[in-house]
Amino acid sequence: MKQWTIDETQINERIDKMIVLLHGDTSRTHVQKWIQDGLVTVNEQAIKANYKVQQGDVIGVMEPELASTEVKAENIPLDVVYEDADLIVVNKPRGMVVHPAPGHSSGTLVNALLYHCTDLSGINDEVRPGIVHRIDKDTTGLIVAAKNDHAHEHLSKQLMNKTTKRQYKAIVHGVLSHKKGTIDAPIGRDLKDRQKMAVTDRNSKQAVTHFTLEETFRAFSYVTCELETGRTHQIRVHFQYIEHPLAGDPKYGYKKTLPIAGQALHAETLGFVHPRTNEELLFTAPVPEDMETLLQDLRKQD
């Protein structure tokens, strides 16, 4: 069950609207159905959709999971960078969702992995088997999945202890004034837009992104980003926060069309200790063709 406690800044909002704001990954229609089905409580009591929240209220949501029968193996090509009996590293293409969710029950990385692999870790659930970490739908690059629970636990612990190496390449608007820098700003759900994250002190978690300037153009910069934490949309939110949003990112940047179908962000490097052999592994994947084309176009303009 997911739970939230209402503070003084959130009072007198309808319960269904408040859950949409807090949850971030569902619609008001879904929430109203949960309320009707008795899956939503306030202070452990069932309520109606028009209930207005009060300070100190504890909202509980027993969110229904997707049925396991909805997640089917699909013969989707995968760019496999590495694979053994314990794990698989894939170079995810732009446009592929990592795991099934409302509105994306097929065509995901999980659907492809279920077809490709004979087994995946069951630590999460039937909807997210083997998934240790995620990258956004329109972010390309490296992601590791676990084939058994031992590998899953080992890799998850490395992520928690911040010992994995995760570097991204990004093209951002504007010319950065520093060769190196660190963005240390907490990230939480944007209460004005349930589909976005934001730098905020309310209901947020620490988020740290280190960056190195690789190349500058007339109106853009090419950077390497290294994650110390792994918050949702972290790089996209952090660069919006310092007023250098990612190219091709209409959610956090500008709506101006660029020759790229999504944010110019690529998970280029992934490093971790193998959960069985204790060998240090490091993988790299070149930036995708559309991002490389954009870089070439920017260089010609200078």
Side-chain angles (χ1 to χ4, degrees):
M1 173 180 283
K2 294 183 178 180
Q3 289 188 323
W4 300 273
T5 300
I6 299 302
D7 63 32
E8 69 277 6
T9 66
Q10 301 167 313
I11 61 174
N12 295 324
E13 189 69 79
R14 276 177 57 115
I15 182 69
D16 53 352
K17 185 176 180 182
M18 179 53 65
I19 291 174
V20 168
L21 292 172
L22 293 170
H23 188 286
D25 292 318
T26 192
S27 68
R28 200 163 175 178
T29 301
H30 279 119
V31 172
Q32 290 170 347
K33 181 66 165 60
W34 296 346
I35 293 172
Q36 291 174 7
D37 293 342
L39 300 175
V40 175
T41 61
V42 175
N43 304 324
E44 301 184 349
Q45 300 294 321
I47 42 76
K48 295 182 179 180
N50 63 355
Y51 174 82
K52 293 188 177 181
V53 299
Q54 302 301 313
Q55 184 175 352
D57 278 352
V58 178
I59 300 174
V61 176
M62 186 68 72
E63 181 180 351
E65 297 287 353
L66 288 173
S68 60
T69 55
E70 294 182 56
V71 186
K72 301 181 184 299
E74 297 179 26
N75 186 8
I76 302 170
L78 287 174
D79 182 1
V80 178
V81 177
Y82 175 86
E83 183 177 12
D84 61 25
D86 294 295
L87 56 89
I88 180 171
V89 178
V90 174
N91 183 16
K92 188 188 80 67
R94 192 181 308 285
M96 176 181 275
V97 174
V98 170
H99 62 73
H104 297 285
S105 61
S106 65
T108 73
L109 178 62
V110 163
N111 296 110
L113 288 172
L114 286 171
Y115 184 92
H116 179 88
C117 302
T118 58
D119 196 17
L120 289 169
S121 165
I123 280 181
N124 282 333
D125 49 44
E126 295 93 341
V127 179
R128 297 172 293 171
I131 299 302
V132 181
H133 65 116
R134 296 180 295 177
I135 55 179
D136 298 337
K137 172 188 174 184
D138 289 325
T139 298
T140 60
L142 298 173
I143 183 170
V144 60
K147 292 188 175 183
N148 53 64
D149 290 357
H150 168 74
H152 197 131
E153 291 173 348
H154 200 287
L155 292 167
S156 294
K157 187 174 294 184
Q158 292 182 59
L159 284 165
M160 186 181 303
N161 293 337
K162 303 177 183 178
T163 57
T164 57
K165 186 176 184 65
R166 289 176 293 166
Q167 286 187 340
Y168 290 70
K169 282 293 194 293
I171 303 172
V172 303
H173 284 273
V175 178
L176 291 169
S177 58
H178 296 84
K179 294 290 185 182
K180 291 180 179 290
T182 295
I183 308 169
D184 186 346
I187 290 176
R189 186 66 58 182
D190 187 336
L191 293 181
K192 295 180 181 179
D193 185 341
R194 67 181 182 83
Q195 295 183 335
K196 296 174 67 173
M197 308 299 289
V199 170
T200 176
D201 291 326
R202 291 165 51 185
N203 298 320
S204 59
K205 294 182 179 180
Q206 182 190 28
V208 181
T209 304
H210 306 286
F211 67 85
T212 301
L213 180 61
E214 301 291 347
E215 197 171 353
T216 58
F217 310 103
R218 188 179 306 166
F220 293 88
S221 297
Y222 185 40
V223 296
T224 296
C225 305
E226 185 156 358
L227 293 183
E228 186 172 317
T229 56
R231 308 305 173 207
T232 301
H233 301 171
Q234 179 171 317
I235 292 174
R236 300 164 67 188
V237 171
H238 269 172
F239 276 89
Q240 178 201 41
Y241 178 64
I242 65 169
E243 300 181 348
H244 290 281
L246 268 63
D249 188 356
K251 183 184 289 289
Y252 294 103
Y254 307 120
K255 294 182 180 180
K256 182 180 178 181
T257 302
L258 289 169
I260 187 169
Q263 62 269 7
L265 182 62
H266 174 69
E268 179 189 50
T269 303
L270 178 63
F272 53 85
V273 174
H274 193 282
R276 192 171 302 276
T277 67
N278 289 323
E279 179 186 0
E280 292 188 1
L281 302 177
L282 185 67
F283 305 100
T284 60
V287 296
E289 184 177 352
D290 59 356
M291 196 165 159
E292 181 60 39
T293 298
L294 178 56
L295 285 169
Q296 295 297 338
D297 289 344
L298 291 173
R299 289 173 184 134
K300 291 176 183 176
Q301 293 173 15
D302 280 7

